[in-house]
Amino acid sequence: MPLRIVVATGSSVPIYRQVVEQVRLAAATGRAKAGDALPSVRTLAEELVVNPNTIAKAYGELVREGIAEAQPGRGVFIAAKRSVYSRAERARRVEGALEEFIHEAVCLGMPEEEIRALFEKRLSRADFKQGEDKP
Amino acid sequence: MPLRIVVATGSSVPIYRQVVEQVRLAAATGRAKAGDALPSVRTLAEELVVNPNTIAKAYGELVREGIAEAQPGRGVFIAAKRSVYSRAERARRVEGALEEFIHEAVCLGMPEEEIRALFEKRLSRADFKQGEDKP
DNA sequence: GGTACTGTACTATACGACCTAGTACACATC
DNA sequence: GATGTGTACTAGGTCGTATAGTACAGTACC
């Protein structure tokens, strides 16, 4: 099974972005291992009832980010050396989302302890290692 | 001084959204108190060198969210009874941003302890009560 | 070589969100 | 009445997203 990808066409987030995020998550959690092949541009496009260009755009972004590697004529594969961001680089990329979260919570008048509780609750549900198909 | 609002025209986030966020934050931190008048649509538009419709859209959203109240012919004012969301309602609105943050962190392979450290560090910098003009 | 697949590049078109421009109306204040 | 207020409407521009179609180079297999 070459990695199941699904998208919500009605969502406000672009289709190509959804594809990028899913592959990124699969690669990060280990559900997709280095060397695994992604569905071909045309195959996935047909499966999702979406234009091949949209998938090509998503794959292009994955290659640009270092998550995947394209081998022209063969296909696109999960990159070998898992984009090793430094601690600082990783923190920099995550900080935007963190800022957004804290800002939203503070704006709504959520007390500090409640923010912490919500955070801890969600963190305990996160899977950091191997991903399973049926959570 | 009727609440200073600034926007970055070059930003990717829409102008009207920036206005909404700034008023929302000012109201939440107490920098703008209940009954305080917002700049008039035309005044703020001229000040920011922006179309009045853009400001009207932002104010409309603030009224819809309950942060402000419009008095036709008089102006727009910070709402009296600070949109008192229930705990559940508040949590529901914040969860999206939290989800995004955790997802981003996990995707980049950030270990649990580092996520927690980053979160605690940022939380300690958040001001939950009175806001000052020069932080 | 021939066929079938792969990724990639390009143009053209359509749609929606955002923003601008201009006008108009109802209301409040003086 | 004059002025300032919020609101509503139409029209147009820009930009990102997605579609449609075509074309080309590389790889794999018979």
Side-chain angles (χ1 to χ4, degrees):
Chain A
M1 178 172 27
L3 183 58
R4 179 178 306 280
I5 296 176
V6 295
V7 296
T9 51
S11 169
S12 70
V13 313
I15 295 174
Y16 85 96
R17 215 79 203 65
Q18 295 183 42
V19 173
V20 169
E21 286 308 313
Q22 286 188 40
V23 175
R24 213 159 71 132
L25 183 61
T29 58
R31 189 156 58 252
K33 285 177 285 296
D36 281 4
L38 269 54
S40 83
V41 168
R42 291 171 179 80
T43 301
L44 184 55
E46 189 171 0
E47 188 177 323
L48 300 182
V49 195
V50 145
N51 194 281
N53 287 339
T54 303
I55 307 300
K57 184 173 183 179
Y59 282 7
E61 191 146 317
L62 285 166
V63 170
R64 223 172 305 119
E65 288 189 21
I67 282 97
E69 281 177 355
Q71 300 183 16
R74 296 197 62 232
V76 177
F77 306 84
I78 300 293
K81 44 197 294 300
R82 270 303 296 119
S83 62
V84 238
Y85 291 111
S86 69
R87 274 181 64 100
E89 173 71 4
R90 216 161 43 185
R92 195 187 59 75
R93 292 176 63 96
V94 170
E95 262 164 17
L98 172 57
E99 186 61 36
E100 185 69 23
F101 164 53
I102 297 288
H103 178 247
E104 183 78 14
V106 171
C107 274
L108 262 53
M110 185 177 283
E112 183 170 352
E113 267 318 308
E114 195 174 331
I115 298 178
R116 185 173 286 112
L118 204 64
F119 167 75
E120 287 296 342
K121 182 180 164 192
R122 177 59 185 83
L123 192 62
S124 67
R125 285 199 301 105
D127 59 335
F128 290 89
K129 283 287 164 254
Q130 211 65 4
E132 65 288 334
D133 285 331
K134 297 282 182 184
Chain B
M1 175 172 26
L3 183 59
R4 181 178 305 281
I5 295 176
V6 294
V7 296
T9 52
S11 169
S12 71
V13 314
I15 295 174
Y16 86 96
R17 214 80 201 68
Q18 294 183 45
V19 173
V20 168
E21 286 308 312
Q22 286 188 41
V23 175
R24 212 158 73 134
L25 184 60
T29 58
R31 188 157 59 250
K33 286 177 285 293
D36 280 5
L38 268 55
S40 84
V41 167
R42 290 170 180 79
T43 301
L44 184 56
E46 190 170 0
E47 189 177 323
L48 300 182
V49 196
V50 145
N51 195 280
N53 288 337
T54 303
I55 306 300
K57 184 173 182 177
Y59 282 8
E61 191 146 324
L62 285 166
V63 170
R64 222 172 308 119
E65 288 189 22
I67 281 98
E69 280 177 357
Q71 299 183 18
R74 295 197 62 234
V76 178
F77 305 84
I78 300 294
K81 44 198 296 295
R82 270 302 296 120
S83 62
V84 236
Y85 291 112
S86 69
R87 273 180 65 99
E89 173 72 3
R90 216 161 43 185
R92 194 186 59 75
R93 292 176 62 95
V94 170
E95 263 164 15
L98 172 57
E99 185 63 35
E100 184 69 24
F101 164 53
I102 297 288
H103 178 245
E104 183 79 14
V106 171
C107 274
L108 261 54
M110 185 178 283
E112 183 170 354
E113 269 317 310
E114 196 173 331
I115 298 178
R116 184 174 286 112
L118 204 64
F119 166 76
E120 288 296 342
K121 182 179 164 193
R122 176 59 185 83
L123 192 63
S124 68
R125 286 200 301 106
D127 58 337
F128 289 88
K129 283 287 161 252
Q130 209 65 5
E132 64 289 332
D133 285 331
K134 296 282 184 187

